[in-house]
Amino acid sequence: QVQLMESGGDSVQAGGSLEISCAASGNSFRVYCVGWFRRRPGKEREGLACLCTGGGGTFYADAVKGRFIASHAGDTSEPGALNTFKLQLNNLTSEDTAQYYCAATDPRYAGSWCLRPGEFDPWGQGTQVTVSA
């Protein structure tokens, strides 16, 4: 089973950018999808984006489309390879302050299902992004 670990969370000023990462390891000879989620203070966990390797494409929530960019580096078909998934966060506002998580699931084509947390397992531990005005 794939293991996930997020990193890159930080405190930034409004209008700034930040790239967070999700290191995925432990799977072999498989393609899969990685979703990005966040939990803002006092709110439910929300889906942001996903990227499906092997040509599965990307999908974004309307709230972040055009501001957040998901990418992937690595070869999921190589045994024991470390793959890194990234989420570039641009033009940040205080509303983006949250704990950000990545999660993985079986391979398929990216679509609106990507925004449902229940579709994903396992999950990383999260990384905190704080945006100050």
Side-chain angles (χ1 to χ4, degrees):
Q1 187 180 25
V2 66
Q3 291 87 45
L4 304 172
M5 180 171 292
E6 302 93 336
S7 62
D10 204 348
S11 296
V12 298
Q13 290 192 324
S17 296
L18 188 67
E19 184 177 75
I20 57 177
S21 297
C22 174
S25 61
N27 70 312
S28 300
F29 298 112
R30 291 190 59 205
V31 294
Y32 52 93
C33 297
V34 167
W36 288 96
F37 298 81
R38 70 183 178 189
R39 188 187 296 277
R40 293 184 281 181
K43 298 194 176 183
E44 296 287 323
R45 186 171 43 183
E46 62 179 313
L48 304 174
C50 78
L51 184 151
C52 295
T53 63
T58 56
F59 186 86
Y60 297 92
D62 289 343
V64 302
K65 194 178 298 181
R67 284 199 307 131
F68 292 4
I69 302 171
S71 63
H72 163 249
D75 183 355
T76 55
S77 66
E78 190 172 316
L82 177 66
N83 286 263
T84 302
F85 293 80
K86 296 182 182 289
L87 188 67
Q88 176 73 31
L89 317 175
N90 298 315
N91 194 21
L92 288 163
T93 73
S94 58
E95 289 295 304
D96 296 312
T97 293
Q99 185 83 349
Y100 285 73
Y101 299 88
C102 62
T105 191
D106 290 338
R108 65 192 84 173
Y109 288 104
S112 59
W113 63 267
C114 291
L115 304 183
R116 298 195 291 265
E119 296 281 352
F120 291 84
D121 180 56
W123 290 73
Q125 83 292 346
T127 189
Q128 178 66 34
V129 174
T130 301
V131 183
S132 57

